[in-house]
């Protein structure tokens, strides 16, 4: 288990036109726990403190306050030599790959093992083993300049894994790759996580990455964790506005373009007004029976205006926008709110049957 206990990081930054330095809080009281063997995502706007946070885990950045534990060992209390040894059990991959240009792929993967003074034979065995795992056996003699981005990142991953780390840190590792290569690198990370039981902490701007491979996710905003939990929960019921904003694209919480011209008011104009309702559901709650249910129970008419279905890992989730008219709309909404789905009144359409789209 990885545990951060009230971690803060303050940078001293110079102020323009002044000789004095000011404190800048890059992280404030960050506490979190990460289960061994899980894939943990960190999201947040640019400058939120994501890289600083991940660098505090392996102490590339030393926290100003707070403690970092990895499997019970307090990293923040280790002396230099012990810290160096502990860090060898933490692999890291980067957006820019950070490969050594004057070494072949083999030489890059072998590098951390040479530092550990492995024998030549052991190094050769391990490099071939790990190269097979990441699928670059035929590239071992090539130099980084002769490789594609995806191949370079596979070398980066192989190098990070060479020394059999318990933890892999990934800072925007797929940001420089095209969507298809991103997908193959992610599949590889997930595969490694499954096969080796390795814990992965990853930062990404791509919410689809989180949706596809992470178990849990933390949302950082101005150096603070504002929301944290299982991906399914955060993605289907985000609470904080920054989370909603970050997820707007994957959640498609905005009205679809086809409804852009739809005129509705936030305030209920008259009692006859139709209600525009957005229903979000996930897991086993299927939309169809619910709709026929409220039609039957409350005598309302339901007009489906838009519907989307997606998956977080293997769990389906979706959003539908409906227009309710007639019947007992209030009771129907109450009923929906009681179910395991989120119902949100988006607005009201002044006169029944007024909708054109
Ligand atoms: N060494 C440093 N000295 C001063 N300020 C720093 C230093 N490193 C980071 N910061 C500041 O801390 C804040 C958080 O930076 P960080 O790199 O962690 O953000 P991030 O969330 O990774 O952003 P991005 O998504 O753009 O990579 C930024 O405002 C940055 O300017
Ligand atoms: Mg960063």
């Amino acid at each position: 288990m990885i545990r951060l206990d009230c971690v803060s990081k303050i940078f001293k930054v110079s102020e323009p036109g002044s000789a004095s330095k000011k404190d800048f809080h890059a992280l404030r009281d960050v506490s979190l726990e990460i289960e061994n063997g899980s894939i943990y995502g960190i999201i947040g706007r640019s400058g939120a403190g994501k890289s600083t946070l991940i660098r505090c885990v392996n102490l590339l950045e030393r926290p100003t306050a707070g403690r970092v534990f990895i499997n019970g060992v307090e990293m923040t209390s280790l002396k230099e030599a012990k810290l160096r040894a502990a860090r060898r059990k933490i692999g890291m991959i980067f957006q820019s790959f950070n490969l050594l240009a004057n070494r072949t792929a083999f030489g890059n993967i072998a590098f951390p093992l040479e530092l550990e003074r492995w024998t030549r034979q052991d190094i050769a065995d391990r490099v071939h083993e790990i190269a097979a795992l990441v699928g670059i056996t035929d590239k071992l003699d090539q130099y980084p300049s002769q490789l594609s981005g995806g191949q370079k990142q596979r070398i980066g991953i192989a190098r990070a894994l060479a020394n059999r780390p318990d933890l892999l840190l990934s800072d925007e590792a797929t940001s420089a790759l095209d969507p298809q290569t991103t997908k193959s690198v992610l599949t590889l990370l997930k595969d490694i996580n499954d096969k080796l039981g390795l814990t992965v902490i990853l930062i990404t701007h791509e919410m689809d990455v989180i949706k596809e491979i992470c178990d849990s996710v933390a949302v950082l905003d101005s150096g603070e964790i504002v929301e944290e939990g299982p991906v399914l929960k955060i993605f289907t019921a985000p609470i904080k506005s920054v989370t909603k904003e970050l997820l707007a694209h994957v959640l498609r919480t905005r009205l679809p373009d086809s409804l852009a011209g739809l005129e509705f008011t936030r305030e209920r104009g008259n009692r006859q007004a139709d209600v525009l309702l957005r229903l979000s559901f996930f897991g086993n709650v299927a939309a169809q029976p619910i709709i026929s249910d409220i039609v039957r129970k409350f005598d309302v008419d339901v007009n489906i205006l838009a519907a989307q279905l997606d998956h977080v890992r293997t769990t389906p989730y979706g959003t539908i926008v409906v227009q309710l008219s007639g019947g007992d709309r209030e009771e129907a909404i109450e009923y929906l709110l009681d179910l395991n789905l989120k119902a949100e009144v988006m607005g009201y359409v002044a006169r029944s049957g007024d909708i054109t789209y």
Side-chain angles (χ1 to χ4, degrees), residues 45 63 100 314:
R45 299 189 190 111
L100 300 164
T314 52

Side-chain angles (χ1 to χ4, degrees), residues 100 103 106-116 123 127 159:
L100 300 164
R103 280 181 166 238
F106 183 101
N108 269 282
I109 303 170
F111 189 62
L113 306 178
E114 290 169 15
L115 293 179
E116 290 259 286
I123 290 178
V127 171
R159 180 183 56 185

